[in-house]
């Protein structure tokens, strides 16, 4: 029996899909390379932005027509399943099962139930939380692995649906995380990314390792070359975490630190708990601890109440900080959230116009930063062959920038010194060097 998982949204969701795939493969099912050839299609959903939700419904339309032509099992998992738990079956009567984010460990059970004509719709909340304890990294040799360290969020940013669909924060015990990473390292996987909605709150109020201590312990695990983590909240990032960037040689020189807006008025409406000045201070401290650190972020334009002056403040923050990359979005109202009832909606065309202006600024900054790397030699972990040319390999710098260069396939999975010869808007072109002469640009 073949299965296919379509994933929407963030790395957390990608990782949840890996967990489900791992369980299905252990049971003897095979991964189908294409949706059209699969007997079971699982759609792992994201409801953080309206666009992802629209894409989900459009895929469901396609699955409905496939289901009319041939027998397939269709399941919906993740945040939309949780958000729509009372109406999902009404809206999509052809689906066979649905699991909320805390119930994905029941995937096999759900598929077996369909075969016994007992559809499973499981939306248990965070209390159970066994899904974070699944270890999806048991499969074939890979180069990098995600490891969940916590799930859920207690922050209640006024635009965000995550606390309502993923529940409150639950941290995983450090001994289980360390065991999983030791097993990953034994299989030759070089890079580990720790995942959580707000990793800075890991083990908050619990008698277990706080996040910086967890990083230090992972840094001492033999075989792991690179450690990354997402996502950090600017309010919660501590001095001891910042110090880790200067002290731990395996911790990659990159942080994703969403700022969301450069205006204090909007940050307060968003319930973010920091000011634009406070954000800049954290950036300064990070750059003092680690001068070559790459900083990426998320931001939202067109939040209710945002006027031209607020938007200008966001533009100024982007210019001042000089981000390496930015995920920027026009605000979209989400169910359950506080901002849904805010006055001062920004007309869509104005929000989209601001977004285009902001993205143009950031494109220029990213391109200039990439060009500034020309001539430097960097350490690249080779992840595979390039999608664009069979002769090219592709990998990432420690600062998380994509580098393409020509080389033999036996370099896949290795750290290679590469000299950057061209900085493009979204990637770098390099040449492999013989002498390892690494400079973290
Ligand atoms: S920190 Fe805010 S934006 Fe991030 S998941 Fe929690 S509520 Fe959502």
């Amino acid at each position: 029996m073949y299965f296919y998982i379509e994933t929407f949204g963030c790395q957390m969701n990608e990782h949840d899909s890996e967990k489900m795939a791992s369980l299905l493969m252990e049971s003897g099912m095979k991964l189908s390379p294409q949706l059209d050839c699969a007997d079971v299609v699982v759609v792992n959903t994201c409801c953080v932005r309206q666009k992802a939700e629209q894409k989900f419904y459009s895929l469901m339309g396609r699955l409905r027509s496939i289901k009319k032509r041939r027998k397939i099992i269709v399941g919906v998992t993740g945040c939309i399943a949780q958000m729509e738990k009372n109406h999902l079956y009404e809206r999509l009567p052809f689906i066979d099962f649905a699991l909320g984010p805390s119930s994905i460990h029941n995937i096999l059970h759900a598929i077996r139930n369909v075969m016994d004509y007992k559809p499973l719709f499981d939306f248990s909340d965070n209390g159970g939380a066994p899904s974070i304890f699944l270890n999806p990294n048991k499969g074939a040799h890979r180069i990098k692995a995600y490891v969940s360290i916590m799930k859920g969020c207690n922050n209640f940013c006024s635009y965000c649906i995550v606390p309502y669909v993923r529940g409150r924060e639950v941290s995983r015990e450090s001994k289980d995380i360390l065991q999983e990473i030791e097993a990953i390292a034994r299989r030759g996987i070089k890079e580990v990314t720790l995942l959580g909605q707000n990793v800075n709150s890991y083990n908050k109020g619990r008698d277990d390792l706080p996040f910086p201590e967890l990083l230090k312990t992972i840094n001492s695990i033999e075989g792991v070359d690179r450690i990354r983590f997402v996502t950090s909240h600017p309010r919660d990032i501590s001095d001891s975490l910042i110090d880790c960037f200067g002290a731990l040689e395996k911790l990659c020189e990159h942080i994703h630190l969403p700022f969301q807006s450069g205006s204090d008025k909007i940050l307060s409406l968003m319930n973010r708990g920091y000011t634009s000045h406070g954000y800049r201070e954290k950036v300064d401290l990070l750059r003092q601890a680690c001068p070559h650190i790459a900083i990426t972020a998320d931001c939202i334009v067109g939040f209710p109440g945002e006027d031209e002056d607020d938007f200008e403040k966001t533009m100024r923050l982007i210019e001042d900080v000089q981000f390496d990359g930015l995920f920027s979005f026009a605000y979209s109202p989400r169910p359950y959230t506080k901002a849904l009832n805010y006055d001062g909606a920004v007309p869509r065309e104005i929000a989209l116009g601001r977004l285009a202006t902001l993205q143009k600024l950031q494109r220029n900054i990213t391109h200039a930063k990439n060009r500034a790397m020309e001539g430097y030699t960097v350490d690249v972990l080779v992840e595979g062959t390039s999608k664009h040319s069979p002769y090219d390999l592709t990998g990432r710098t420690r600062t998380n920038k994509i580098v393409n260069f020509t080389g033999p396939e036996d370099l896949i999975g290795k750290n290679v010194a590469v000299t950057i010869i061209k900085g493009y808007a979204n990637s770098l072109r390099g040449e492999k060097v013989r002498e390892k002469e690494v400079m973290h640009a």
Side-chain angles (χ1 to χ4, degrees), residues 10 14 26 52 59 61 149 233 248-249 302 342 344 392 394 415:
C10 60
E14 278 173 31
E26 270 176 33
L59 174 63
I149 64 164
H233 192 297
L248 305 181
E249 73 282 4
Y342 281 0
D392 280 350
T394 188
N415 276 308

Side-chain angles (χ1 to χ4, degrees), residues 167-179:
R168 306 297 174 270
E169 287 170 4
V170 179
S171 293
R172 186 179 175 196
E173 280 193 36
S174 62
K175 70 171 174 35
D176 294 340
I177 296 170
L178 294 168
Q179 262 173 21

Side-chain angles (χ1 to χ4, degrees), residues 242-342:
I242 290 172
D243 289 343
C244 288
F245 281 102
L248 305 181
E249 73 282 4
K250 295 180 182 174
L251 183 61
C252 289
E253 295 82 0
H254 169 231
I255 187 164
H256 187 70
L257 196 63
F259 67 89
Q260 307 301 8
S261 171
S263 154
D264 291 347
K265 179 188 98 188
I266 299 298
L267 286 171
S268 166
L269 284 169
M270 287 176 164
N271 192 30
R272 289 290 287 175
Y274 55 86
T275 61
S276 162
H277 178 71
Y279 184 88
R280 288 164 204 258
E281 278 184 340
K282 300 280 181 182
V283 167
D284 288 345
L285 289 171
L286 282 161
R287 286 186 169 145
Q288 277 165 30
C290 180
H292 297 295
I293 194 166
I295 302 177
T296 56
D298 298 338
C299 84
I300 297 170
V301 295
F303 190 76
E306 183 190 77
D307 58 24
E308 279 304 322
D309 184 48
D310 298 312
F311 176 61
E312 274 312 311
K313 286 176 175 152
T314 297
M315 292 289 278
R316 225 171 300 143
L317 189 138
I318 293 170
E319 268 172 10
D320 292 348
V321 172
Q322 296 279 304
F323 292 98
D324 292 77
L326 198 55
F327 296 94
S328 48
F329 307 92
Y331 168 74
S332 58
R334 301 282 67 209
Y336 308 119
T337 60
K338 205 171 162 198
L340 195 61
N341 302 315
Y342 281 0

Side-chain angles (χ1 to χ4, degrees), residues 152-163 169 197-198 231 233 235 258 260 270-272:
C153 184
N154 294 350
N155 281 324
F156 291 92
C157 300
S158 65
Y159 53 84
C160 182
I161 193 172
V162 165
E169 287 170 4
Q197 236 79 41
N198 181 15
T231 290
H233 192 297
R235 185 193 52 206
Q260 307 301 8
M270 287 176 164
N271 192 30
R272 289 290 287 175

Side-chain angles (χ1 to χ4, degrees), residues 3 5 17-27 135-139:
F3 71 94
I5 304 184
S17 294
E18 285 182 352
K19 292 174 187 176
M20 289 190 279
S22 173
L23 284 175
L24 297 183
M25 285 193 282
E26 270 176 33
S27 79
N135 172 357
N137 295 306
K138 297 175 195 155

